[in-house]
Amino acid sequence: GYIDAQHAREAYGVVLNASASVDSCATSRARRLIREQRIGRTPRCDGVAPAWPGFALRLRGDSHGQHWGCGSCGEELCPAGEDWRAVGTISVEVDLTERFARLGMQVRPRSGGEPLRVRDVYCPACASCIHSEVVVPGFAASIVKLADR
């Protein structure tokens, strides 16, 4: 009861039938299409819910050193010393007002200055969303390197 059918489909890929029950086949198709649209092609593998909620990025180590990886499918993204947002992933940026409008939400445009944007960062293998952030024009993103921690 917190969201309507349009929001469920746009945000989660959930398709309801005439009796307001989940249509499993249509939901699977909708989610597959969402994942394809995110990265511009069919994903190589399926993602699963990360082991820890809220942690879609994993730092892993092996005999070749540490690297960033997708928490949903395990895909190695880049060495730990590199910016995973810029090197091993696919980023898509859209106007925040437009994004919320697609979800059936009304957001007043930002007064004065450029509009806010939303940047989503996706795994190139499974198309899971690793990170989302609001981009404020004129402000640089803060990147934390492993050495700075």
Side-chain angles (χ1 to χ4, degrees), residues 2-18 20-35 37-38 99-105:
Y2 289 104
I3 62 173
D4 62 19
Q6 175 193 350
H7 189 115
R9 184 177 185 121
E10 289 292 326
Y12 305 107
V14 174
V15 180
L16 303 178
N17 59 28
S21 298
V22 175
D23 182 328
S24 297
C25 291
T27 294
S28 293
R29 286 191 302 272
R31 287 179 171 174
R32 187 171 35 255
L33 181 60
I34 288 170
R35 292 174 59 231
Q37 290 172 339
R38 285 176 171 177
R99 161 70 69 80
F100 281 19
R102 284 198 324 259
L103 298 173
M105 302 167 71

PDB file of all heavy atoms in Angstrom, residues 2-18 20-35 37-38 99-105:
ATOM      1  N   TYR A   2       2.159   1.154   0.047  1.00  0.00           N
ATOM      2  CA  TYR A   2       3.003   2.353   0.079  1.00  0.00           C
ATOM      3  C   TYR A   2       3.294   2.904  -1.306  1.00  0.00           C
ATOM      4  O   TYR A   2       3.581   4.079  -1.448  1.00  0.00           O
ATOM      5  CB  TYR A   2       4.333   2.061   0.782  1.00  0.00           C
ATOM      6  CG  TYR A   2       4.173   1.859   2.262  1.00  0.00           C
ATOM      7  CD1 TYR A   2       4.221   0.587   2.811  1.00  0.00           C
ATOM      8  CD2 TYR A   2       3.951   2.942   3.102  1.00  0.00           C
ATOM      9  CE1 TYR A   2       4.067   0.400   4.168  1.00  0.00           C
ATOM     10  CE2 TYR A   2       3.795   2.758   4.460  1.00  0.00           C
ATOM     11  CZ  TYR A   2       3.853   1.487   4.985  1.00  0.00           C
ATOM     12  OH  TYR A   2       3.694   1.298   6.325  1.00  0.00           O
ATOM     13  N   ILE A   3       3.271   2.045  -2.322  1.00  0.00           N
ATOM     14  CA  ILE A   3       3.541   2.487  -3.689  1.00  0.00           C
ATOM     15  C   ILE A   3       2.442   1.965  -4.615  1.00  0.00           C
ATOM     16  O   ILE A   3       1.782   0.985  -4.305  1.00  0.00           O
ATOM     17  CB  ILE A   3       4.923   2.027  -4.192  1.00  0.00           C
ATOM     18  CG1 ILE A   3       5.023   0.497  -4.225  1.00  0.00           C
ATOM     19  CG2 ILE A   3       6.034   2.622  -3.334  1.00  0.00           C
ATOM     20  CD1 ILE A   3       6.283  -0.014  -4.871  1.00  0.00           C
ATOM     21  N   ASP A   4       2.290   2.642  -5.761  1.00  0.00           N
ATOM     22  CA  ASP A   4       1.267   2.188  -6.703  1.00  0.00           C
ATOM     23  C   ASP A   4       1.897   1.246  -7.742  1.00  0.00           C
ATOM     24  O   ASP A   4       3.105   1.004  -7.740  1.00  0.00           O
ATOM     25  CB  ASP A   4       0.559   3.370  -7.356  1.00  0.00           C
ATOM     26  CG  ASP A   4       1.472   4.258  -8.186  1.00  0.00           C
ATOM     27  OD1 ASP A   4       2.571   3.824  -8.578  1.00  0.00           O
ATOM     28  OD2 ASP A   4       1.080   5.403  -8.453  1.00  0.00           O
ATOM     29  N   ALA A   5       1.067   0.726  -8.626  1.00  0.00           N
ATOM     30  CA  ALA A   5       1.515  -0.252  -9.623  1.00  0.00           C
ATOM     31  C   ALA A   5       2.567   0.335 -10.558  1.00  0.00           C
ATOM     32  O   ALA A   5       3.528  -0.347 -10.924  1.00  0.00           O
ATOM     33  CB  ALA A   5       0.318  -0.768 -10.417  1.00  0.00           C
ATOM     34  N   GLN A   6       2.417   1.619 -10.939  1.00  0.00           N
ATOM     35  CA  GLN A   6       3.397   2.256 -11.818  1.00  0.00           C
ATOM     36  C   GLN A   6       4.771   2.317 -11.144  1.00  0.00           C
ATOM     37  O   GLN A   6       5.786   1.987 -11.739  1.00  0.00           O
ATOM     38  CB  GLN A   6       2.954   3.678 -12.196  1.00  0.00           C
ATOM     39  CG  GLN A   6       4.006   4.431 -13.009  1.00  0.00           C
ATOM     40  CD  GLN A   6       3.726   5.924 -13.122  1.00  0.00           C
ATOM     41  OE1 GLN A   6       2.656   6.405 -12.762  1.00  0.00           O
ATOM     42  NE2 GLN A   6       4.703   6.662 -13.606  1.00  0.00           N
ATOM     43  N   HIS A   7       4.785   2.728  -9.885  1.00  0.00           N
ATOM     44  CA  HIS A   7       6.042   2.816  -9.138  1.00  0.00           C
ATOM     45  C   HIS A   7       6.660   1.430  -8.981  1.00  0.00           C
ATOM     46  O   HIS A   7       7.876   1.261  -9.140  1.00  0.00           O
ATOM     47  CB  HIS A   7       5.788   3.450  -7.779  1.00  0.00           C
ATOM     48  CG  HIS A   7       7.044   3.772  -7.021  1.00  0.00           C
ATOM     49  ND1 HIS A   7       7.412   5.044  -6.715  1.00  0.00           N
ATOM     50  CD2 HIS A   7       8.017   2.980  -6.524  1.00  0.00           C
ATOM     51  CE1 HIS A   7       8.559   5.028  -6.057  1.00  0.00           C
ATOM     52  NE2 HIS A   7       8.943   3.783  -5.921  1.00  0.00           N
ATOM     53  N   ALA A   8       5.852   0.430  -8.678  1.00  0.00           N
ATOM     54  CA  ALA A   8       6.354  -0.939  -8.521  1.00  0.00           C
ATOM     55  C   ALA A   8       7.036  -1.424  -9.793  1.00  0.00           C
ATOM     56  O   ALA A   8       8.098  -2.051  -9.753  1.00  0.00           O
ATOM     57  CB  ALA A   8       5.219  -1.882  -8.136  1.00  0.00           C
ATOM     58  N   ARG A   9       6.428  -1.106 -10.938  1.00  0.00           N
ATOM     59  CA  ARG A   9       7.011  -1.539 -12.210  1.00  0.00           C
ATOM     60  C   ARG A   9       8.281  -0.763 -12.537  1.00  0.00           C
ATOM     61  O   ARG A   9       9.293  -1.341 -12.910  1.00  0.00           O
ATOM     62  CB  ARG A   9       6.000  -1.396 -13.338  1.00  0.00           C
ATOM     63  CG  ARG A   9       6.549  -1.941 -14.644  1.00  0.00           C
ATOM     64  CD  ARG A   9       5.524  -1.874 -15.764  1.00  0.00           C
ATOM     65  NE  ARG A   9       6.082  -2.502 -16.927  1.00  0.00           N
ATOM     66  CZ  ARG A   9       5.556  -3.534 -17.549  1.00  0.00           C
ATOM     67  NH1 ARG A   9       4.442  -4.059 -17.106  1.00  0.00           N
ATOM     68  NH2 ARG A   9       6.128  -4.046 -18.599  1.00  0.00           N
ATOM     69  N   GLU A  10       8.237   0.569 -12.397  1.00  0.00           N
ATOM     70  CA  GLU A  10       9.397   1.399 -12.746  1.00  0.00           C
ATOM     71  C   GLU A  10      10.577   1.170 -11.804  1.00  0.00           C
ATOM     72  O   GLU A  10      11.708   1.075 -12.252  1.00  0.00           O
ATOM     73  CB  GLU A  10       9.009   2.880 -12.737  1.00  0.00           C
ATOM     74  CG  GLU A  10       8.110   3.289 -13.874  1.00  0.00           C
ATOM     75  CD  GLU A  10       8.796   3.230 -15.233  1.00  0.00           C
ATOM     76  OE1 GLU A  10      10.010   3.498 -15.319  1.00  0.00           O
ATOM     77  OE2 GLU A  10       8.102   2.910 -16.212  1.00  0.00           O
ATOM     78  N   ALA A  11      10.330   1.112 -10.516  1.00  0.00           N
ATOM     79  CA  ALA A  11      11.414   1.014  -9.544  1.00  0.00           C
ATOM     80  C   ALA A  11      11.912  -0.409  -9.329  1.00  0.00           C
ATOM     81  O   ALA A  11      13.103  -0.627  -9.144  1.00  0.00           O
ATOM     82  CB  ALA A  11      10.965   1.604  -8.211  1.00  0.00           C
ATOM     83  N   TYR A  12      11.012  -1.380  -9.356  1.00  0.00           N
ATOM     84  CA  TYR A  12      11.373  -2.744  -8.987  1.00  0.00           C
ATOM     85  C   TYR A  12      11.136  -3.774 -10.091  1.00  0.00           C
ATOM     86  O   TYR A  12      11.475  -4.941  -9.927  1.00  0.00           O
ATOM     87  CB  TYR A  12      10.596  -3.175  -7.736  1.00  0.00           C
ATOM     88  CG  TYR A  12      10.784  -2.222  -6.586  1.00  0.00           C
ATOM     89  CD1 TYR A  12       9.765  -1.372  -6.194  1.00  0.00           C
ATOM     90  CD2 TYR A  12      11.998  -2.160  -5.909  1.00  0.00           C
ATOM     91  CE1 TYR A  12       9.936  -0.483  -5.139  1.00  0.00           C
ATOM     92  CE2 TYR A  12      12.184  -1.274  -4.862  1.00  0.00           C
ATOM     93  CZ  TYR A  12      11.153  -0.442  -4.481  1.00  0.00           C
ATOM     94  OH  TYR A  12      11.328   0.436  -3.450  1.00  0.00           O
ATOM     95  N   GLY A  13      10.511  -3.361 -11.182  1.00  0.00           N
ATOM     96  CA  GLY A  13      10.223  -4.307 -12.254  1.00  0.00           C
ATOM     97  C   GLY A  13       9.104  -5.273 -11.903  1.00  0.00           C
ATOM     98  O   GLY A  13       8.959  -6.311 -12.532  1.00  0.00           O
ATOM     99  N   VAL A  14       8.295  -4.944 -10.920  1.00  0.00           N
ATOM    100  CA  VAL A  14       7.196  -5.817 -10.501  1.00  0.00           C
ATOM    101  C   VAL A  14       5.957  -5.472 -11.322  1.00  0.00           C
ATOM    102  O   VAL A  14       5.524  -4.327 -11.360  1.00  0.00           O
ATOM    103  CB  VAL A  14       6.896  -5.662  -8.997  1.00  0.00           C
ATOM    104  CG1 VAL A  14       5.657  -6.458  -8.594  1.00  0.00           C
ATOM    105  CG2 VAL A  14       8.102  -6.095  -8.178  1.00  0.00           C
ATOM    106  N   VAL A  15       5.388  -6.484 -11.980  1.00  0.00           N
ATOM    107  CA  VAL A  15       4.193  -6.300 -12.798  1.00  0.00           C
ATOM    108  C   VAL A  15       3.021  -6.983 -12.099  1.00  0.00           C
ATOM    109  O   VAL A  15       3.113  -8.157 -11.723  1.00  0.00           O
ATOM    110  CB  VAL A  15       4.393  -6.892 -14.216  1.00  0.00           C
ATOM    111  CG1 VAL A  15       3.143  -6.694 -15.053  1.00  0.00           C
ATOM    112  CG2 VAL A  15       5.611  -6.259 -14.887  1.00  0.00           C
ATOM    113  N   LEU A  16       1.951  -6.221 -11.934  1.00  0.00           N
ATOM    114  CA  LEU A  16       0.750  -6.759 -11.298  1.00  0.00           C
ATOM    115  C   LEU A  16      -0.278  -7.120 -12.356  1.00  0.00           C
ATOM    116  O   LEU A  16      -0.385  -6.454 -13.384  1.00  0.00           O
ATOM    117  CB  LEU A  16       0.160  -5.729 -10.328  1.00  0.00           C
ATOM    118  CG  LEU A  16       1.094  -5.223  -9.230  1.00  0.00           C
ATOM    119  CD1 LEU A  16       0.390  -4.168  -8.383  1.00  0.00           C
ATOM    120  CD2 LEU A  16       1.586  -6.370  -8.368  1.00  0.00           C
ATOM    121  N   ASN A  17      -1.051  -8.168 -12.095  1.00  0.00           N
ATOM    122  CA  ASN A  17      -2.129  -8.542 -13.014  1.00  0.00           C
ATOM    123  C   ASN A  17      -3.418  -7.821 -12.601  1.00  0.00           C
ATOM    124  O   ASN A  17      -3.410  -6.988 -11.706  1.00  0.00           O
ATOM    125  CB  ASN A  17      -2.300 -10.066 -13.063  1.00  0.00           C
ATOM    126  CG  ASN A  17      -2.616 -10.661 -11.706  1.00  0.00           C
ATOM    127  OD1 ASN A  17      -3.194 -10.006 -10.841  1.00  0.00           O
ATOM    128  ND2 ASN A  17      -2.229 -11.915 -11.511  1.00  0.00           N
ATOM    129  N   ALA A  18      -4.511  -8.152 -13.269  1.00  0.00           N
ATOM    130  CA  ALA A  18      -5.788  -7.460 -13.033  1.00  0.00           C
ATOM    131  C   ALA A  18      -6.277  -7.583 -11.591  1.00  0.00           C
ATOM    132  O   ALA A  18      -6.960  -6.698 -11.086  1.00  0.00           O
ATOM    133  CB  ALA A  18      -6.849  -7.994 -13.990  1.00  0.00           C
ATOM    134  N   ALA A  20      -4.370  -7.500  -9.006  1.00  0.00           N
ATOM    135  CA  ALA A  20      -3.340  -6.860  -8.185  1.00  0.00           C
ATOM    136  C   ALA A  20      -2.379  -7.853  -7.538  1.00  0.00           C
ATOM    137  O   ALA A  20      -1.736  -7.546  -6.538  1.00  0.00           O
ATOM    138  CB  ALA A  20      -3.951  -5.932  -7.146  1.00  0.00           C
ATOM    139  N   SER A  21      -2.270  -9.042  -8.130  1.00  0.00           N
ATOM    140  CA  SER A  21      -1.277 -10.023  -7.695  1.00  0.00           C
ATOM    141  C   SER A  21      -0.072  -9.917  -8.618  1.00  0.00           C
ATOM    142  O   SER A  21      -0.182  -9.463  -9.753  1.00  0.00           O
ATOM    143  CB  SER A  21      -1.840 -11.444  -7.783  1.00  0.00           C
ATOM    144  OG  SER A  21      -2.942 -11.583  -6.924  1.00  0.00           O
ATOM    145  N   VAL A  22       1.081 -10.369  -8.149  1.00  0.00           N
ATOM    146  CA  VAL A  22       2.292 -10.317  -8.955  1.00  0.00           C
ATOM    147  C   VAL A  22       2.196 -11.320 -10.105  1.00  0.00           C
ATOM    148  O   VAL A  22       1.884 -12.493  -9.908  1.00  0.00           O
ATOM    149  CB  VAL A  22       3.534 -10.619  -8.096  1.00  0.00           C
ATOM    150  CG1 VAL A  22       4.791 -10.691  -8.952  1.00  0.00           C
ATOM    151  CG2 VAL A  22       3.694  -9.579  -7.005  1.00  0.00           C
ATOM    152  N   ASP A  23       2.435 -10.823 -11.317  1.00  0.00           N
ATOM    153  CA  ASP A  23       2.513 -11.671 -12.510  1.00  0.00           C
ATOM    154  C   ASP A  23       3.975 -12.075 -12.651  1.00  0.00           C
ATOM    155  O   ASP A  23       4.806 -11.286 -13.111  1.00  0.00           O
ATOM    156  CB  ASP A  23       2.034 -10.882 -13.729  1.00  0.00           C
ATOM    157  CG  ASP A  23       2.029 -11.697 -15.009  1.00  0.00           C
ATOM    158  OD1 ASP A  23       2.891 -12.599 -15.147  1.00  0.00           O
ATOM    159  OD2 ASP A  23       1.197 -11.404 -15.886  1.00  0.00           O
ATOM    160  N   SER A  24       4.323 -13.282 -12.232  1.00  0.00           N
ATOM    161  CA  SER A  24       5.714 -13.730 -12.170  1.00  0.00           C
ATOM    162  C   SER A  24       6.420 -13.695 -13.520  1.00  0.00           C
ATOM    163  O   SER A  24       7.557 -13.236 -13.619  1.00  0.00           O
ATOM    164  CB  SER A  24       5.802 -15.142 -11.595  1.00  0.00           C
ATOM    165  OG  SER A  24       5.332 -15.141 -10.273  1.00  0.00           O
ATOM    166  N   CYS A  25       5.756 -14.176 -14.564  1.00  0.00           N
ATOM    167  CA  CYS A  25       6.381 -14.201 -15.898  1.00  0.00           C
ATOM    168  C   CYS A  25       6.624 -12.786 -16.413  1.00  0.00           C
ATOM    169  O   CYS A  25       7.712 -12.470 -16.906  1.00  0.00           O
ATOM    170  CB  CYS A  25       5.530 -14.982 -16.885  1.00  0.00           C
ATOM    171  SG  CYS A  25       5.483 -16.743 -16.539  1.00  0.00           S
ATOM    172  N   ALA A  26       5.634 -11.926 -16.294  1.00  0.00           N
ATOM    173  CA  ALA A  26       5.772 -10.543 -16.758  1.00  0.00           C
ATOM    174  C   ALA A  26       6.807  -9.790 -15.914  1.00  0.00           C
ATOM    175  O   ALA A  26       7.556  -8.961 -16.439  1.00  0.00           O
ATOM    176  CB  ALA A  26       4.426  -9.820 -16.713  1.00  0.00           C
ATOM    177  N   THR A  27       6.877 -10.096 -14.629  1.00  0.00           N
ATOM    178  CA  THR A  27       7.873  -9.472 -13.754  1.00  0.00           C
ATOM    179  C   THR A  27       9.279  -9.878 -14.175  1.00  0.00           C
ATOM    180  O   THR A  27      10.176  -9.046 -14.263  1.00  0.00           O
ATOM    181  CB  THR A  27       7.608  -9.826 -12.277  1.00  0.00           C
ATOM    182  OG1 THR A  27       6.369  -9.230 -11.886  1.00  0.00           O
ATOM    183  CG2 THR A  27       8.720  -9.354 -11.361  1.00  0.00           C
ATOM    184  N   SER A  28       9.484 -11.157 -14.482  1.00  0.00           N
ATOM    185  CA  SER A  28      10.799 -11.622 -14.947  1.00  0.00           C
ATOM    186  C   SER A  28      11.204 -10.916 -16.230  1.00  0.00           C
ATOM    187  O   SER A  28      12.351 -10.480 -16.375  1.00  0.00           O
ATOM    188  CB  SER A  28      10.799 -13.138 -15.170  1.00  0.00           C
ATOM    189  OG  SER A  28      10.659 -13.803 -13.947  1.00  0.00           O
ATOM    190  N   ARG A  29      10.270 -10.776 -17.164  1.00  0.00           N
ATOM    191  CA  ARG A  29      10.563 -10.077 -18.426  1.00  0.00           C
ATOM    192  C   ARG A  29      10.878  -8.606 -18.180  1.00  0.00           C
ATOM    193  O   ARG A  29      11.821  -8.060 -18.743  1.00  0.00           O
ATOM    194  CB  ARG A  29       9.390 -10.213 -19.402  1.00  0.00           C
ATOM    195  CG  ARG A  29       9.266 -11.585 -20.038  1.00  0.00           C
ATOM    196  CD  ARG A  29       8.255 -11.589 -21.181  1.00  0.00           C
ATOM    197  NE  ARG A  29       6.919 -11.170 -20.779  1.00  0.00           N
ATOM    198  CZ  ARG A  29       5.970 -11.971 -20.301  1.00  0.00           C
ATOM    199  NH1 ARG A  29       6.207 -13.260 -20.179  1.00  0.00           N
ATOM    200  NH2 ARG A  29       4.786 -11.497 -19.963  1.00  0.00           N
ATOM    201  N   ALA A  30      10.089  -7.955 -17.317  1.00  0.00           N
ATOM    202  CA  ALA A  30      10.307  -6.533 -17.025  1.00  0.00           C
ATOM    203  C   ALA A  30      11.673  -6.316 -16.370  1.00  0.00           C
ATOM    204  O   ALA A  30      12.392  -5.376 -16.714  1.00  0.00           O
ATOM    205  CB  ALA A  30       9.195  -5.996 -16.132  1.00  0.00           C
ATOM    206  N   ARG A  31      12.034  -7.184 -15.454  1.00  0.00           N
ATOM    207  CA  ARG A  31      13.326  -7.042 -14.784  1.00  0.00           C
ATOM    208  C   ARG A  31      14.488  -7.298 -15.745  1.00  0.00           C
ATOM    209  O   ARG A  31      15.518  -6.620 -15.679  1.00  0.00           O
ATOM    210  CB  ARG A  31      13.400  -7.972 -13.578  1.00  0.00           C
ATOM    211  CG  ARG A  31      12.526  -7.480 -12.443  1.00  0.00           C
ATOM    212  CD  ARG A  31      12.556  -8.387 -11.256  1.00  0.00           C
ATOM    213  NE  ARG A  31      11.870  -7.750 -10.131  1.00  0.00           N
ATOM    214  CZ  ARG A  31      11.632  -8.367  -8.979  1.00  0.00           C
ATOM    215  NH1 ARG A  31      12.030  -9.604  -8.782  1.00  0.00           N
ATOM    216  NH2 ARG A  31      11.004  -7.716  -8.019  1.00  0.00           N
ATOM    217  N   ARG A  32      14.328  -8.247 -16.629  1.00  0.00           N
ATOM    218  CA  ARG A  32      15.365  -8.522 -17.645  1.00  0.00           C
ATOM    219  C   ARG A  32      15.551  -7.289 -18.538  1.00  0.00           C
ATOM    220  O   ARG A  32      16.675  -6.878 -18.823  1.00  0.00           O
ATOM    221  CB  ARG A  32      15.005  -9.760 -18.458  1.00  0.00           C
ATOM    222  CG  ARG A  32      16.088 -10.203 -19.408  1.00  0.00           C
ATOM    223  CD  ARG A  32      15.828 -11.560 -20.081  1.00  0.00           C
ATOM    224  NE  ARG A  32      14.445 -11.846 -20.388  1.00  0.00           N
ATOM    225  CZ  ARG A  32      13.659 -12.693 -19.713  1.00  0.00           C
ATOM    226  NH1 ARG A  32      14.122 -13.332 -18.670  1.00  0.00           N
ATOM    227  NH2 ARG A  32      12.413 -12.904 -20.084  1.00  0.00           N
ATOM    228  N   LEU A  33      14.433  -6.670 -18.946  1.00  0.00           N
ATOM    229  CA  LEU A  33      14.499  -5.479 -19.785  1.00  0.00           C
ATOM    230  C   LEU A  33      15.162  -4.307 -19.041  1.00  0.00           C
ATOM    231  O   LEU A  33      15.992  -3.588 -19.614  1.00  0.00           O
ATOM    232  CB  LEU A  33      13.094  -5.076 -20.243  1.00  0.00           C
ATOM    233  CG  LEU A  33      13.012  -3.851 -21.144  1.00  0.00           C
ATOM    234  CD1 LEU A  33      13.804  -4.055 -22.434  1.00  0.00           C
ATOM    235  CD2 LEU A  33      11.555  -3.537 -21.470  1.00  0.00           C
ATOM    236  N   ILE A  34      14.836  -4.120 -17.773  1.00  0.00           N
ATOM    237  CA  ILE A  34      15.460  -3.069 -16.968  1.00  0.00           C
ATOM    238  C   ILE A  34      16.973  -3.274 -16.931  1.00  0.00           C
ATOM    239  O   ILE A  34      17.752  -2.343 -17.126  1.00  0.00           O
ATOM    240  CB  ILE A  34      14.876  -3.036 -15.535  1.00  0.00           C
ATOM    241  CG1 ILE A  34      13.457  -2.476 -15.548  1.00  0.00           C
ATOM    242  CG2 ILE A  34      15.770  -2.226 -14.593  1.00  0.00           C
ATOM    243  CD1 ILE A  34      12.720  -2.640 -14.224  1.00  0.00           C
ATOM    244  N   ARG A  35      17.403  -4.506 -16.685  1.00  0.00           N
ATOM    245  CA  ARG A  35      18.838  -4.795 -16.605  1.00  0.00           C
ATOM    246  C   ARG A  35      19.512  -4.548 -17.952  1.00  0.00           C
ATOM    247  O   ARG A  35      20.619  -4.002 -18.009  1.00  0.00           O
ATOM    248  CB  ARG A  35      19.057  -6.222 -16.123  1.00  0.00           C
ATOM    249  CG  ARG A  35      18.632  -6.394 -14.655  1.00  0.00           C
ATOM    250  CD  ARG A  35      18.686  -7.818 -14.159  1.00  0.00           C
ATOM    251  NE  ARG A  35      20.009  -8.373 -14.258  1.00  0.00           N
ATOM    252  CZ  ARG A  35      20.282  -9.542 -14.830  1.00  0.00           C
ATOM    253  NH1 ARG A  35      19.330 -10.272 -15.357  1.00  0.00           N
ATOM    254  NH2 ARG A  35      21.523  -9.984 -14.870  1.00  0.00           N
ATOM    255  N   GLN A  37      18.529  -2.402 -20.279  1.00  0.00           N
ATOM    256  CA  GLN A  37      18.551  -0.956 -20.505  1.00  0.00           C
ATOM    257  C   GLN A  37      19.633  -0.269 -19.666  1.00  0.00           C
ATOM    258  O   GLN A  37      20.227   0.708 -20.101  1.00  0.00           O
ATOM    259  CB  GLN A  37      17.181  -0.353 -20.201  1.00  0.00           C
ATOM    260  CG  GLN A  37      16.137  -0.730 -21.214  1.00  0.00           C
ATOM    261  CD  GLN A  37      14.735  -0.293 -20.820  1.00  0.00           C
ATOM    262  OE1 GLN A  37      14.443  -0.047 -19.657  1.00  0.00           O
ATOM    263  NE2 GLN A  37      13.850  -0.202 -21.800  1.00  0.00           N
ATOM    264  N   ARG A  38      19.904  -0.782 -18.489  1.00  0.00           N
ATOM    265  CA  ARG A  38      20.915  -0.183 -17.622  1.00  0.00           C
ATOM    266  C   ARG A  38      22.291  -0.151 -18.277  1.00  0.00           C
ATOM    267  O   ARG A  38      23.008   0.834 -18.177  1.00  0.00           O
ATOM    268  CB  ARG A  38      21.035  -0.972 -16.313  1.00  0.00           C
ATOM    269  CG  ARG A  38      19.916  -0.757 -15.350  1.00  0.00           C
ATOM    270  CD  ARG A  38      20.096  -1.659 -14.152  1.00  0.00           C
ATOM    271  NE  ARG A  38      19.141  -1.334 -13.111  1.00  0.00           N
ATOM    272  CZ  ARG A  38      19.040  -2.012 -11.974  1.00  0.00           C
ATOM    273  NH1 ARG A  38      19.850  -3.037 -11.731  1.00  0.00           N
ATOM    274  NH2 ARG A  38      18.152  -1.655 -11.074  1.00  0.00           N
ATOM    275  N   ARG A  99      13.798  11.502 -13.267  1.00  0.00           N
ATOM    276  CA  ARG A  99      13.841  10.171 -12.644  1.00  0.00           C
ATOM    277  C   ARG A  99      12.665   9.998 -11.711  1.00  0.00           C
ATOM    278  O   ARG A  99      11.956   9.007 -11.745  1.00  0.00           O
ATOM    279  CB  ARG A  99      15.144  10.013 -11.883  1.00  0.00           C
ATOM    280  CG  ARG A  99      15.175   8.905 -10.836  1.00  0.00           C
ATOM    281  CD  ARG A  99      15.169   7.492 -11.430  1.00  0.00           C
ATOM    282  NE  ARG A  99      16.391   7.202 -12.107  1.00  0.00           N
ATOM    283  CZ  ARG A  99      17.524   6.846 -11.542  1.00  0.00           C
ATOM    284  NH1 ARG A  99      17.595   6.723 -10.239  1.00  0.00           N
ATOM    285  NH2 ARG A  99      18.575   6.605 -12.263  1.00  0.00           N
ATOM    286  N   PHE A 100      12.407  10.992 -10.865  1.00  0.00           N
ATOM    287  CA  PHE A 100      11.304  10.884  -9.916  1.00  0.00           C
ATOM    288  C   PHE A 100       9.958  10.915 -10.631  1.00  0.00           C
ATOM    289  O   PHE A 100       9.020  10.246 -10.205  1.00  0.00           O
ATOM    290  CB  PHE A 100      11.399  11.975  -8.862  1.00  0.00           C
ATOM    291  CG  PHE A 100      12.404  11.685  -7.777  1.00  0.00           C
ATOM    292  CD1 PHE A 100      13.416  10.747  -7.944  1.00  0.00           C
ATOM    293  CD2 PHE A 100      12.350  12.348  -6.574  1.00  0.00           C
ATOM    294  CE1 PHE A 100      14.326  10.471  -6.948  1.00  0.00           C
ATOM    295  CE2 PHE A 100      13.263  12.093  -5.560  1.00  0.00           C
ATOM    296  CZ  PHE A 100      14.258  11.155  -5.748  1.00  0.00           C
ATOM    297  N   ALA A 101       9.835  11.682 -11.719  1.00  0.00           N
ATOM    298  CA  ALA A 101       8.579  11.737 -12.469  1.00  0.00           C
ATOM    299  C   ALA A 101       8.236  10.358 -13.025  1.00  0.00           C
ATOM    300  O   ALA A 101       7.067   9.959 -13.030  1.00  0.00           O
ATOM    301  CB  ALA A 101       8.676  12.757 -13.594  1.00  0.00           C
ATOM    302  N   ARG A 102       9.246   9.604 -13.480  1.00  0.00           N
ATOM    303  CA  ARG A 102       8.999   8.241 -13.980  1.00  0.00           C
ATOM    304  C   ARG A 102       8.456   7.339 -12.883  1.00  0.00           C
ATOM    305  O   ARG A 102       7.777   6.356 -13.156  1.00  0.00           O
ATOM    306  CB  ARG A 102      10.284   7.641 -14.556  1.00  0.00           C
ATOM    307  CG  ARG A 102      10.657   8.166 -15.906  1.00  0.00           C
ATOM    308  CD  ARG A 102      11.644   7.284 -16.653  1.00  0.00           C
ATOM    309  NE  ARG A 102      12.639   6.633 -15.841  1.00  0.00           N
ATOM    310  CZ  ARG A 102      13.904   7.033 -15.713  1.00  0.00           C
ATOM    311  NH1 ARG A 102      14.335   8.101 -16.327  1.00  0.00           N
ATOM    312  NH2 ARG A 102      14.747   6.354 -14.964  1.00  0.00           N
ATOM    313  N   LEU A 103       8.752   7.672 -11.640  1.00  0.00           N
ATOM    314  CA  LEU A 103       8.268   6.887 -10.502  1.00  0.00           C
ATOM    315  C   LEU A 103       6.941   7.415  -9.967  1.00  0.00           C
ATOM    316  O   LEU A 103       6.457   6.971  -8.936  1.00  0.00           O
ATOM    317  CB  LEU A 103       9.311   6.888  -9.381  1.00  0.00           C
ATOM    318  CG  LEU A 103      10.652   6.258  -9.736  1.00  0.00           C
ATOM    319  CD1 LEU A 103      11.641   6.466  -8.603  1.00  0.00           C
ATOM    320  CD2 LEU A 103      10.491   4.788 -10.063  1.00  0.00           C
ATOM    321  N   GLY A 104       6.373   8.393 -10.693  1.00  0.00           N
ATOM    322  CA  GLY A 104       5.098   8.953 -10.277  1.00  0.00           C
ATOM    323  C   GLY A 104       5.226   9.947  -9.141  1.00  0.00           C
ATOM    324  O   GLY A 104       4.249  10.236  -8.449  1.00  0.00           O
ATOM    325  N   MET A 105       6.427  10.471  -8.937  1.00  0.00           N
ATOM    326  CA  MET A 105       6.665  11.419  -7.853  1.00  0.00           C
ATOM    327  C   MET A 105       6.881  12.810  -8.441  1.00  0.00           C
ATOM    328  O   MET A 105       7.454  12.944  -9.514  1.00  0.00           O
ATOM    329  CB  MET A 105       7.895  10.992  -7.054  1.00  0.00           C
ATOM    330  CG  MET A 105       7.764   9.603  -6.465  1.00  0.00           C
ATOM    331  SD  MET A 105       9.329   8.954  -5.843  1.00  0.00           S
ATOM    332  CE  MET A 105       9.572   9.957  -4.412  1.00  0.00           C
TER     333      MET A 105
END
